[in-house]
Amino acid sequence: MSDSQETIARTIADNDVVLFMKGTADQPQCGFSNQVVRILDHLGVDYSDVNVLADPDIRDGVKVFSSWPTIPQLYVKGEFVGGCDIVREMFQTGELKTLLADKGLLETA
Amino acid sequence: MAMSAQDLEGLLRDAFADADIKIDDLAGDGDHYRAVIRSDTFVGKSRVAQHQMVYAALKGRMGGELHALALETGPKSA
């Protein structure tokens, strides 16, 4: 396993909710990343943000890691949830909140 | 770093023969699309798996030639 793959695996293992994104949660640098940040903030869940723009190895590496070609990418408890469209759809249907609550990451409503 | 809507639709048609496909060029720049794909090949697949199937159909162009593709996928009956 390359260094970047190990770093990504460790980041995902060490944090319950991880968002690989362009920019930071405070300053997203892409509309898709911004949408996911706003959804996670709205739900009030704690999450770690990883700015892929700061590290080209991570930026390419996470695409390989997930077999997913685009950023953002959301992981919950080690599991790849999806990109922006999936997160938005799951938010709109309430599935995302349920998922986070089931994992003990949100107070149940 | 752009792709015509026809090329995009062609790739999707090749992979999803039965599908209802609707493509919008969101920014008019050949680089930001929305695709709505309804195909019965998606039945029983998770959302991640459905999107993976679409990305596979695009044969590596996603994230490269194609910067932004908003996806909505699901079975035809949905």
Side-chain angles (χ1 to χ4, degrees), chain B residues 23-50:
Chain B
I23 293 172
D24 295 321
D25 188 344
L26 296 175
D29 61 358
D31 208 17
H32 297 74
Y33 290 104
R34 175 173 53 219
V36 180
I37 306 162
R38 299 280 174 214
S39 165
D40 286 337
T41 57
F42 292 136
V43 172
K45 300 281 202 303
S46 71
R47 287 198 180 86
V48 169
Q50 292 177 22

Side-chain angles (χ1 to χ4, degrees), chain B residues 13-75:
Chain B
R13 288 248 170 258
D14 287 347
F16 305 103
D18 74 317
D20 296 328
I21 298 174
K22 183 170 177 292
I23 293 172
D24 295 321
D25 188 344
L26 296 175
D29 61 358
D31 208 17
H32 297 74
Y33 290 104
R34 175 173 53 219
V36 180
I37 306 162
R38 299 280 174 214
S39 165
D40 286 337
T41 57
F42 292 136
V43 172
K45 300 281 202 303
S46 71
R47 287 198 180 86
V48 169
Q50 292 177 22
H51 288 210
Q52 296 277 29
M53 288 162 71
V54 174
Y55 293 143
L58 300 179
K59 301 181 170 79
R61 289 173 176 82
M62 189 65 216
E65 269 175 73
L66 200 52
H67 168 70
L69 176 65
L71 278 180
E72 192 183 323
T73 58

Side-chain angles (χ1 to χ4, degrees), chain A:
Chain A
M1 218 191 256
S2 72
D3 287 351
S4 67
Q5 296 295 301
E6 277 176 33
T7 305
I8 291 162
R10 195 168 54 242
T11 303
I12 292 166
D14 289 350
N15 297 281
D16 286 336
V17 185
V18 184
L19 178 63
F20 292 90
M21 61 177 291
K22 292 182 178 173
T24 61
D26 290 336
Q27 275 196 309
Q29 292 186 36
C30 168
F32 297 100
S33 292
N34 185 42
Q35 280 186 40
V36 178
V37 163
R38 282 166 52 191
I39 287 168
L40 295 176
D41 287 348
H42 178 83
L43 291 171
V45 68
D46 286 330
Y47 61 97
S48 300
D49 54 328
V50 177
N51 180 6
V52 303
L53 298 180
D55 188 336
D57 288 341
I58 298 295
R59 181 177 183 168
D60 292 333
V62 77
K63 295 177 184 175
V64 173
F65 189 89
S66 322
S67 304
W68 193 261
T70 56
I71 309 289
Q73 300 186 8
L74 180 67
Y75 280 83
V76 174
K77 291 269 187 184
E79 186 188 334
F80 179 52
V81 174
C84 174
D85 297 317
I86 289 175
V87 171
R88 192 182 55 237
E89 216 177 315
M90 289 180 71
F91 172 64
Q92 285 165 349
T93 59
E95 287 166 82
L96 185 61
K97 193 172 183 180
T98 304
L99 171 75
L100 294 169
D102 286 350
K103 303 275 188 187
L105 301 170
L106 271 187
E107 300 293 321
T108 39

